[in-house]
Amino acid sequence: MRRLILLRHAKSDWPDGIVDLERPLAARGRTAAPLMGRYLAREGLVPDRILVSPARRTRETWDLLSAEMKGLPDSASEPRIYEASAARLLAVVREQPDTAHTLLLIGHNPGFEDLADTLVQNGSVSARDAMDEKFPTGAVAVIDLPVDRWIDIAPDSGRLDRFITPRMLSGES
């Protein structure tokens, strides 16, 4: 069994004159990222491999999230996650070493939403409904995959364990 955790970067800002790759987190994102880190830690969703898009907003998300967790391995920057399609993301996932059982990717939409849709066949109905409605910034999809090796992951083979957004955790309506 393999577990894939997809975390869309927290809410980013759109400052004038800043290229997309260098966009920072907005105040709301700086609040949401540690909230999601505390959730992952409390739920025991601790990855043994972490790949982060090189975009500033994903790196800032990781820095704030990881400060809330203990015992994490070092993260690696993965340029192929930035502006990636579901097919490219799936290729990155399939290349991961089999020594990693839980993989965390921190990246972007629409690729993350499309990858989740490609992989998820079943799981919590309410979680699937929430994910189908919207994959907002800061959201986490936890997908269990019944394979022994990452390379064997196939479309429609995953089970959505949960889908959580910062809004769900903060009690906002």
Side-chain angles (χ1 to χ4, degrees), residues 84-137:
S85 66
R88 185 193 298 172
L89 290 166
L90 183 56
V92 168
V93 170
R94 285 178 170 156
E95 292 174 4
Q96 298 313 300
D98 294 328
T99 54
H101 292 278
T102 301
L103 172 65
L104 170 62
L105 297 183
I106 303 176
H108 315 270
N109 256 2
F112 273 29
E113 183 172 356
D114 294 343
L115 177 61
D117 287 342
T118 296
L119 293 176
V120 170
Q121 173 63 29
N122 57 41
S124 164
V125 172
S126 61
R128 287 170 42 206
D129 287 347
M131 189 176 73
D132 288 343
E133 183 179 321
K134 186 177 181 183
F135 203 121
T137 54

Side-chain angles (χ1 to χ4, degrees), residues 7-53:
L7 172 66
R8 185 175 174 202
H9 65 80
K11 183 71 175 167
S12 59
D13 202 356
W14 294 84
D16 289 337
I18 301 294
V19 296
D20 184 70
L21 195 63
E22 291 303 320
R23 286 180 29 228
L25 289 181
R28 194 170 95 200
R30 289 190 300 276
T31 300
L35 179 69
M36 298 311 288
R38 287 189 296 275
Y39 172 80
L40 292 174
R42 183 176 64 247
E43 296 293 313
L45 296 168
V46 180
D48 43 27
R49 182 147 173 86
I50 301 124
L51 300 178
V52 182
S53 161

